[in-house]
Amino acid sequence: MKEVSEWSQQDVSRWLCEEGMQEYCDALRGADGTCLLRLTATDFHTPPLALVSSDGGRQLLERLETLRIAGHIAATAAAHKNGHLPNGHANGHLLNGAPTPTPPRLNGIRHEMVHIPIPNMATSTAAVAHNASSFSLRTHFPSEWRKTGVAFLYAVVCFVTTTVVISVVHERVPAKEQTPPLPDKFFDLFDRVEWAFSICEINGMLLVGLWIVQWTLLKYRSIIGRRFFFIVGTLYLYRCVTMYITTLPVPGMHFKCSPKLMGNWEAQMRRIMKLIAGGGLSITGSHNMCGDYLYSGHTVMLTLTYLFIKEYSPKRLWWYQWMCWTLSAVGIFCILLAHDHYTVDVVVAYFITTRLFWWYHTLANQQSLKETSQSNPFSRVWWYRLFQYFEENVNGIVPRNYQLPFSWRQSQWNRNVHYSKLEVH
C-alpha cells in the first residue's frame, strides 16, 4: 500500500470520496498526503474548513488517526520483517549478532534482564487492522429505514389522533355570544388584519416544501427523517392533551365555527376526513372547527421546520438560514396579527417545540446520555425507550453531508471519481 505521506492531491481527493466526505474535496483540493496528516482540530475553526465542517472535523480527524495507526503498524511490521528491531533482542542475541553479555552481580544478587516475547507481527497487524476496520464501521451512521418507517407511522397516528380530538373539542367550545374572547395584550396593541392568517399558512407551506427538498438531499436522511417524525408526532400528541383538558373560547368575534353535530358520529368522521385531506389548513377550506387553540399547531410547524433546516444545512448557507428564519418569524407574527390564536397559544407552542428539539438532539449527540442510569435524569422521560430504539446505533453528531437521492444520479455525479481500496499489509 502506498504510504499516506506519499499521496498526491488526487489520492487525497479519491480517499475523501471513498470515505463519504466529499464536502471536504474543494477545501482540501491543494493538499497532498503530508498536508492531510498535519491537520488538527484548530484547522477546522478557520476557513475554508470551518465553512464545510459540521462537527468541527471530528469525523475526518478520526479517520486520519486510523490512517496513522495503520501506517505505523505497516512500518513496524516491515522493520521486524527485515530484522531491524530497535532497542531489542532476537533469539538471545543483540541486533549485530553478538551474544548477550552475562548480567553483572550486584551485592551477590544476579540481576537478569526481563525478556518480553514479541508477538507475531502478521497476526498483530491483522488484529489491529481488523480493529481499525471495526472502528471505521462504528463511526458510520446506519440507515435503518425500518426505524424511519416506525417513526413515520408514529407521526401519522399522532396527526390522526389530533384531528379526532379537534372534532371532539369543537363540540365543547362555548358560543361566542355566551362566552366572549378572553383579554389579550397583543390584541389590545394590534388590530386584526384579515389576510394575515393566509400569509402564515403560505409561509408554513414554503418552509415545509424547503425542508422536504433539503431532506431528500441529505446523505443521512433516514436518521434525520425519523428524528423529525418522532418530534413532530410527540408535539402533536402533547397538543391533544392540552387542548382537550382546557377548552378556550374563540379568540375573536370574527370566527365562524361549523355547527355542532351533537353525537352524529358519521358526520363527525366525514368532517375528520375532510380536515385530514386538507392538511388542517384554513386556506384549503378544510378547517372550520374551533377549540384547537392551546397550543398553536401552526406555530409548531413554522418553528420546527426552521429548526431542522438550520440544524442540517451548511454554515456557508447563512443567507438560506436567515431567509427561513424570516419566513418563520413573519408567519408566527401573522398568526397573532390575524387574531386566530391567543398569545399564550403561540408562546407555549414555541417553548415546547424548541425545548423538545434541543433536548432530543442533546441526547442524540451525547453517547453517555443514551444509557439508562441514576445519573441520567433524561432516562426517566416517557419516550426515552423509543428514543433509544431510534438512536442506539447512531454514534456521534450526524454530519451535514449531502448527496443526490438516486443511485443512478450519484453515479453520474461521481462519474470522474475513481475509487481504490486501502489495505494494510
Side-chain angles (χ1 to χ4, degrees):
M1 183 187 70
K2 189 176 182 181
E3 292 187 9
V4 181
S5 58
E6 298 176 358
W7 283 5
S8 64
Q9 298 175 6
Q10 292 75 17
D11 293 328
V12 171
S13 298
R14 189 181 303 117
W15 178 77
L16 290 171
C17 293
E18 185 180 18
E19 293 295 322
M21 294 182 287
Q22 296 91 335
E23 68 272 18
Y24 290 108
C25 288
D26 290 336
L28 298 174
R29 185 178 298 276
D32 56 13
T34 303
C35 295
L36 187 67
L37 291 174
R38 290 176 180 172
L39 287 177
T40 63
T42 307
D43 298 319
F44 292 87
H45 296 159
T46 57
L49 291 176
L51 300 177
V52 296
S53 175
S54 60
D55 58 353
R58 181 189 60 80
Q59 188 179 12
L60 178 55
L61 291 173
E62 287 178 352
R63 304 291 176 84
L64 286 176
E65 185 63 25
T66 304
L67 282 180
R68 293 188 186 99
I69 294 172
H72 177 72
I73 292 171
T76 305
H80 279 277
K81 185 177 180 181
N82 297 331
H84 302 295
L85 304 180
N87 300 325
H89 296 75
N91 299 325
H93 292 78
L94 295 176
L95 292 179
N96 57 8
T100 304
T102 303
R105 291 177 178 269
L106 299 178
N107 299 326
I109 301 175
R110 181 178 177 180
H111 293 263
E112 295 185 357
M113 298 180 64
V114 177
H115 295 274
I116 301 176
I118 301 175
N120 182 277
M121 290 308 298
T123 305
S124 177
T125 303
V128 178
H130 173 74
N131 292 336
S133 176
S134 300
F135 173 79
S136 179
L137 289 175
R138 288 198 301 272
T139 60
H140 288 316
F141 302 90
S143 296
E144 298 180 306
W145 280 101
R146 180 177 298 179
K147 293 183 179 180
T148 307
V150 172
F152 176 75
L153 290 177
Y154 170 77
V156 170
V157 170
C158 292
F159 272 118
V160 173
T161 304
T162 302
T163 308
V164 173
V165 173
I166 289 174
S167 181
V168 172
V169 170
H170 174 77
E171 301 295 315
R172 297 168 42 190
V173 177
K176 58 186 177 183
E177 294 78 14
Q178 299 175 357
T179 306
L182 300 175
D184 190 286
K185 190 63 179 178
F186 188 93
F187 297 169
D188 296 338
L189 298 175
F190 296 92
D191 294 330
R192 177 177 179 262
V193 177
E194 185 176 353
W195 46 263
F197 202 69
S198 298
I199 298 298
C200 155
E201 295 193 329
I202 290 172
N203 285 10
M205 289 188 289
L206 286 173
L207 283 171
V208 171
L210 288 171
W211 168 238
I212 291 175
V213 172
Q214 180 178 331
W215 175 74
T216 57
L217 295 175
L218 286 165
K219 179 178 181 180
Y220 303 107
R221 66 183 71 91
S222 60
I223 299 173
I224 299 169
R226 61 176 172 264
R227 290 179 177 180
F228 179 82
F229 294 138
F230 173 77
I231 293 176
V232 74
T234 302
L235 288 170
Y236 272 82
L237 191 61
Y238 286 160
R239 186 169 181 251
C240 292
V241 176
T242 56
M243 66 183 177
Y244 181 78
I245 60 178
T246 302
T247 304
L248 300 177
V250 294
M253 300 300 291
H254 63 280
F255 274 87
K256 297 179 181 178
C257 305
S258 59
K260 294 178 171 58
L261 299 177
M262 301 302 178
N264 187 345
W265 291 103
E266 182 180 353
Q268 283 200 20
M269 288 303 299
R270 288 197 298 267
R271 192 162 62 184
I272 290 171
M273 295 304 297
K274 179 182 177 182
L275 184 59
I276 294 174
L281 299 176
S282 299
I283 200 172
T284 60
S286 63
H287 194 353
N288 51 11
M289 290 184 283
C290 301
D292 59 327
Y293 301 125
L294 188 64
Y295 47 87
S296 168
H298 287 73
T299 303
V300 167
M301 294 306 300
L302 286 166
T303 305
L304 190 63
T305 48
Y306 163 71
L307 289 174
F308 269 92
I309 287 172
K310 184 178 185 298
E311 181 69 19
Y312 296 106
S313 59
K315 294 181 181 179
R316 65 179 180 274
L317 297 182
W318 57 268
W319 54 269
Y320 170 63
Q321 297 174 358
W322 274 104
M323 180 188 73
C324 293
W325 180 88
T326 303
L327 288 173
S328 177
V330 171
I332 293 173
F333 182 78
C334 284
I335 294 175
L336 297 173
L337 199 60
H339 292 196
D340 271 31
H341 270 286
Y342 293 107
T343 306
V344 68
D345 304 341
V346 173
V347 171
V348 171
Y350 174 82
F351 182 86
I352 295 179
T353 302
T354 52
R355 269 57 191 177
L356 183 59
F357 177 88
W358 292 332
W359 289 341
Y360 188 97
H361 282 77
T362 299
L363 290 170
N365 294 340
Q366 301 293 328
Q367 202 65 27
S368 60
L369 296 178
K370 295 181 182 179
E371 300 176 359
T372 304
S373 65
Q374 292 294 329
S375 61
N376 181 15
F378 286 109
S379 62
R380 302 165 195 166
V381 182
W382 68 267
W383 45 261
Y384 188 78
R385 296 293 182 186
L386 194 55
F387 159 80
Q388 284 183 314
Y389 170 70
F390 290 142
E391 302 289 338
E392 60 183 347
N393 296 323
V394 180
N395 297 287
I397 301 174
V398 177
R400 301 184 185 99
N401 294 353
Y402 285 82
Q403 66 180 20
L404 294 177
F406 305 110
S407 58
W408 68 271
R409 290 186 178 180
Q410 292 175 32
S411 62
Q412 291 295 319
W413 181 271
N414 298 321
R415 61 185 180 273
N416 294 326
V417 178
H418 301 283
Y419 296 91
S420 62
K421 184 178 180 181
L422 299 178
E423 297 181 352
V424 179
H425 299 285

